[in-house]
Amino acid sequence: MSEPTLRETERHDVQQDGDDILVKQAAESMAAEIGFDESASAEIGIVAVELASNVLKHAEGGELALSQLTDGDRVGIRIESFDVGPGIANVDAAFADGASTAGSLGGGLGAVNRLMHRLTVAAPGEPDFGTKVVADRWIRSDHETTADCPLSFGAASRPAADETVNGDSFVIKRWDDQALVGVIDGLGHGSDAHKAATAATEYVETHYDNSITAIFEGAERACRGTRGVVMALARFDWTADTVTIGAVGNINYKTSEGSEVTFIPRRGVVGGDGPEPKVRESEWHPHDRLVLFSDGIESHWDLSAERGLSRESATVTARRLLDQYSKPHDDATVLVVSNRVEAE
């Protein structure tokens, strides 16, 4: 991933009450000039006031820098905050939902993480060196499809038998000539698992066009303060005939016979200092089929032995596998990707 170019940087001192409002107005103005719509500009203003409020709360003052970003055809905005003083003592806590700074409009660094496409934080490492936060947001280009999607997507999910909420979740997101799918499993089950899975799902669905590594990085922060999740994501590009997959934790997968699709899950928990996923790209062939499933599904079955797959849609296959192989006392999710020509 190339480093974007910064242009037209504005620097604003943050030393006293009221400076955060001035920075908010400046950020909204720059965002509008760059081309963000009214809603996005308002969200960028929230990020600016949140970061400025953090400076006032956790340090003796500091500075915010607003810059226009360019990266090829993409344009966006970068907001950087610099503390002078001890900085944020507990960065992890600042990402938890509800950890809002006094008088701000957001929800702590968690709000910044949700509203921006990429966020990096340098925590205090020496005396009198504060926290540096860098937050980027890009203008999303209009979706442009150049080739019909040849794939069929289907998913089925249910909570454990004794629960009313599901601690599992899934994502199916299509745009341009690509799609992102994923299975997300909150640790345990019940309301706490559901809260973790929801936090991860919301982040993935609003950052779907980031790199898989960047999505895991943001989901790690989005799940702070929850039990955490295990997660597998797969991005399909049908103009390149590829699928790119990354996973952390025990999300299982099966592929059709002869498929070259493979990935290596890494042990860990997203939201619990989980590792960076090993992201692997594979060729996707016309007769390939991929099944992702949570640990609420039995793993001792052979996809190639399942009858009728070539006549079933991905949705029908997902529901059938859930019915046949789910464990009653655990949340269970199955997601299937196949080729439309084969399945329909």
Side-chain angles (χ1 to χ4, degrees):
M1 183 182 298
S2 61
E3 180 64 23
T5 301
L6 275 64
R7 303 182 186 279
E8 301 181 20
T9 297
E10 299 177 3
R11 297 189 176 275
H12 300 267
D13 287 334
V14 180
Q15 304 293 338
Q16 58 188 355
D17 291 343
D19 286 346
D20 53 343
I21 303 303
L22 295 176
V23 170
K24 174 180 180 290
Q25 294 169 345
E28 291 177 345
S29 177
M30 177 178 283
E33 290 175 4
I34 290 170
F36 286 96
D37 62 25
E38 184 176 351
S39 175
S41 296
E43 291 176 346
I44 289 166
I46 289 174
V47 169
V49 75
E50 188 66 47
L51 293 180
S53 297
N54 276 333
V55 169
L56 293 172
K57 179 179 180 179
H58 297 287
E60 301 167 2
E63 180 182 78
L64 252 71
L66 308 173
S67 305
Q68 179 176 334
L69 287 179
T70 60
D71 184 10
D73 294 334
R74 295 197 303 171
V75 294
I77 191 169
R78 171 170 291 180
I79 305 177
E80 299 175 87
S81 68
F82 308 89
D83 292 347
V84 177
I88 300 174
N90 189 337
V91 173
D92 286 353
F95 278 106
D97 281 342
S100 180
T101 54
S104 69
L105 302 178
L109 289 179
V112 178
N113 188 54
R114 287 189 294 273
L115 294 174
M116 303 298 275
H117 286 135
R118 191 70 186 266
L119 177 65
T120 59
V121 181
E126 57 186 72
D128 300 324
F129 182 82
T131 306
K132 177 183 177 181
V133 179
V134 180
D136 295 344
R137 179 155 171 171
W138 299 95
I139 296 178
R140 281 200 170 109
S141 59
D142 293 335
H143 293 183
E144 181 179 354
T145 301
T146 63
D148 291 338
C149 176
L151 303 177
S152 175
F153 306 95
S157 184
R158 60 142 185 80
D162 55 348
E163 296 291 349
T164 58
V165 294
N166 197 345
D168 280 5
S169 182
F170 62 86
V171 173
I172 301 174
K173 196 81 175 180
R174 284 179 50 183
W175 74 103
D176 298 345
D177 296 322
Q178 299 183 60
L180 180 75
V181 304
V183 170
I184 299 166
D185 182 357
L187 265 61
H189 45 80
S191 59
D192 288 340
H194 176 73
K195 177 182 176 182
T198 298
T201 302
E202 289 177 350
Y203 186 87
V204 174
E205 288 185 335
T206 54
H207 296 78
Y208 60 90
D209 52 353
N210 281 4
S211 70
I212 286 181
T213 299
I215 294 173
F216 270 89
E217 181 182 294
E220 167 75 26
R221 295 186 175 119
C223 290
R224 300 279 172 84
T226 74
R227 284 184 175 180
V229 304
V230 294
M231 180 168 72
L233 300 176
R235 172 170 285 126
F236 293 84
D237 184 333
W238 47 87
T239 59
D241 295 321
T242 60
V243 56
T244 304
I245 307 178
V248 171
N250 59 333
I251 300 296
N252 297 306
Y253 79 104
K254 291 187 183 292
T255 59
S256 52
E257 187 175 2
S259 174
E260 298 176 12
V261 177
T262 183
F263 67 92
I264 304 173
R266 300 197 66 181
R267 291 184 178 180
V269 175
V270 180
D273 292 324
E276 185 176 291
K278 291 184 178 180
V279 178
R280 175 169 293 187
E281 180 180 291
S282 303
E283 291 185 5
W284 180 265
H285 301 293
H287 300 292
D288 282 345
R289 187 181 297 263
L290 172 67
V291 180
L292 298 174
F293 54 99
S294 67
D295 65 354
I297 302 293
E298 297 284 353
S299 60
H300 300 297
W301 51 276
D302 187 353
L303 183 62
S304 62
E306 295 293 317
R307 296 181 178 180
L309 288 180
S310 62
R311 300 185 300 274
E312 289 181 346
S313 70
T315 298
V316 170
T317 300
R319 289 174 178 169
R320 183 167 61 80
L321 293 175
L322 182 74
D323 289 342
Q324 287 182 235
Y325 299 114
S326 62
K327 305 172 185 177
H329 298 295
D330 199 358
D331 305 318
T333 298
V334 181
L335 187 148
V336 178
V337 184
S338 60
N339 192 278
R340 284 185 181 275
V341 173
E342 180 184 358
E344 301 177 356

